[in-house]
Amino acid sequence: MAVRAVRGAVQLERDAADHMDEQVGELLTAIVERNGLADEDLISIWFTATPDLHSDFPAAAARRLGIVDVPLICAQELQIEGAMPRVVRVLAHVESDKPRAEITHVYLGAAATLRKDIAQ
């Protein structure tokens, strides 16, 4: 089985812990479902959030989904003028038999404009 990287992002409507939990949970669920992954396929997940998000750690949503034995880390995105605000990005490392070209990267809502080349 190969190690693959899965990307994803979601733009939040507001900086509120419950909203972040809902949106990041939806993103993670979509990544797992669209790639046919099981919990044991997850190796690690890296989250980044834009500097305007302060209400909670994106990784907390993963823990509330039951992802409790996978290493998670959160970091802050660079503050670039003109960048899309209130965005949580995900880089998940997974075990998968899928070829790299068949991995489904998930960009929800307005975040799909961030990576039109790989958003599906």
Side-chain angles (χ1 to χ4, degrees), residues 104-118:
T104 302
H105 304 283
V106 180
Y107 289 77
L108 300 178
T113 63
L114 295 172
R115 292 297 307 266
K116 292 178 185 177
D117 57 326
I118 64 172

Side-chain angles (χ1 to χ4, degrees), residues 11-97:
Q11 183 183 38
L12 306 184
E13 295 174 13
R14 63 190 176 283
D15 182 24
D18 62 334
H19 182 59
M20 181 180 293
D21 187 57
E22 173 190 317
Q23 294 296 298
V24 173
E26 183 179 327
L27 176 61
L28 291 172
T29 299
I31 287 171
V32 168
E33 289 177 356
R34 293 182 193 180
N35 286 287
L37 300 170
D39 287 346
E40 58 269 8
D41 298 327
L42 302 174
I43 297 170
S44 65
I45 305 174
W46 181 281
F47 298 89
T48 64
T50 51
D52 51 2
L53 294 174
H54 308 272
S55 61
D56 202 358
F57 295 100
R63 297 292 186 224
R64 285 190 272 281
L65 279 177
I67 302 172
V68 295
D69 61 348
V70 175
L72 309 174
I73 191 166
C74 296
Q76 189 175 77
E77 281 287 333
L78 296 173
Q79 188 167 353
I80 304 297
E81 188 173 325
M84 183 180 285
R86 300 177 316 282
V87 175
V88 174
R89 291 173 173 86
V90 171
L91 173 62
H93 299 97
V94 303
E95 290 182 335
S96 176
D97 288 328

